[in-house]
Amino acid sequence: MDGVTRARAAVLAAVLLHPSTRLHCELRMLPVDEVWERFCSRDAGLPETLLTRFDTVDIDALLRRTQHVGARIVIPGDDEWPPQLADLGATTPWALWLRGKLLERRRSVALVGSRSCTPYGERIAAEFAADIANEGYPIVSGGAFGIDAAAHRGALTTPTPTIAVLACGVDVPYPAAHAALFERIVSQGTIVSESPPGAHPTRAAFLIRNRVIAAIAYGTVVVEARFRSGALSTYRHAAEQIGRASCRERV
């Protein structure tokens, strides 16, 4: 894929942070280079807030930081781009930052759940993850406290890679207590984010990234979750994507 288009897609990912908005959906249906030209020409249809944000992104600095933290940018058409992200339609990420092992095109399973889980839920998540990974299916989760961390740790007891989809930059250990866990994931699997390196998480970012967890995985398991848990949004995204993916078999 052309390096210029990849760099432009990375900038657009840093600028267009809320993929559920109508404007984002309209722009996402256009080629990256066409959207780039609309920003460069200060298209009257673009809000001033977005134009200002676009002006503040230093593309060279963004690429340097990506390289400095050992990450790489992938966009649709690249070998590492998960083709199942096409299920997201107009909310497909503009780009993804990856850190760690090569992201293989393998069937994977998302294990998610509550941060404030019970000891039983934590144990079951780790056992599920290890059993599933031992069958050769990578485990996808969000790197958070509770069920997410248990799922990653269970997967790390096997040779199968695990995938952490973060709501912050791939170089930002959040939560900080999981810095060592993230480094283990990098050595055996892959950390993924649609946010640029250095980006810190926001409350909205966690819900936004849940659609990526659901789309990357071919199946989603909610191990334990409260009624208002963000893990249930991952489940809802998974259910919606199953409905849209009529041409793709899921486990």
Side-chain angles (χ1 to χ4, degrees):
M1 184 63 65
D2 179 73
V4 172
T5 299
R6 180 179 291 103
R8 290 176 173 179
V11 172
L12 293 176
V15 172
L16 296 161
L17 305 176
H18 302 289
S20 61
T21 64
R22 186 179 69 177
L23 175 61
H24 180 284
C25 295
E26 291 174 355
L27 294 176
R28 196 63 190 86
M29 303 308 292
L30 303 173
V32 167
D33 294 328
E34 182 176 333
V35 178
W36 180 268
E37 291 304 322
R38 287 185 63 176
F39 272 94
C40 290
S41 65
R42 317 225 21 116
D43 189 299
L46 298 174
E48 191 61 35
T49 52
L50 288 184
L51 293 172
T52 300
R53 192 181 300 158
F54 178 78
D55 292 340
T56 63
V57 178
D58 183 331
I59 189 169
D60 292 327
L62 178 61
L63 297 178
R64 284 195 302 270
R65 178 151 189 169
T66 297
Q67 184 177 27
H68 177 72
V69 303
R72 56 200 182 275
I73 300 165
V74 299
I75 62 175
D78 287 339
D79 290 342
E80 286 190 271
W81 184 264
Q84 60 270 30
L85 289 180
D87 289 351
L88 293 174
T91 66
T92 301
W94 294 90
L96 292 175
W97 278 265
L98 308 182
R99 184 168 167 250
K101 298 290 187 181
L102 183 74
L103 190 61
E104 303 175 17
R105 294 190 175 186
R106 300 169 65 173
R107 292 178 180 271
S108 56
V109 177
L111 259 66
V112 296
S114 176
R115 289 175 171 81
S116 56
C117 63
T118 64
Y120 172 76
E122 194 170 19
R123 177 171 62 83
I124 290 299
E127 291 178 358
F128 277 2
D131 289 346
I132 294 168
N134 273 322
E135 294 297 322
Y137 299 102
I139 295 297
V140 184
S141 200
F145 287 123
I147 297 299
D148 286 14
H152 289 306
R153 291 188 177 108
L156 286 167
T157 65
T158 79
T160 303
T162 184
I163 302 164
V165 182
L166 304 186
C168 53
V170 294
D171 60 330
V172 177
Y174 187 90
H178 285 175
L181 174 61
F182 292 141
E183 289 308 312
R184 289 180 63 198
I185 293 173
V186 167
S187 68
Q188 186 172 319
T190 312
I191 291 179
V192 178
S193 179
E194 63 181 311
S195 299
H200 290 272
T202 63
R203 187 165 189 162
F206 287 104
L207 293 175
I208 290 170
R209 71 84 194 265
N210 286 348
R211 80 195 197 290
V212 177
I213 293 177
I216 285 181
Y218 281 75
T220 298
V221 178
V222 179
V223 177
E224 187 177 81
R226 297 178 184 275
F227 181 72
R228 294 176 64 85
S229 172
L232 296 181
S233 77
T234 306
Y235 166 78
R236 287 190 289 270
H237 284 299
E240 291 169 1
Q241 287 155 29
I242 288 173
R244 290 196 295 262
S246 57
C247 296
R248 186 168 59 79
E249 179 186 2
R250 289 177 177 265
V251 297

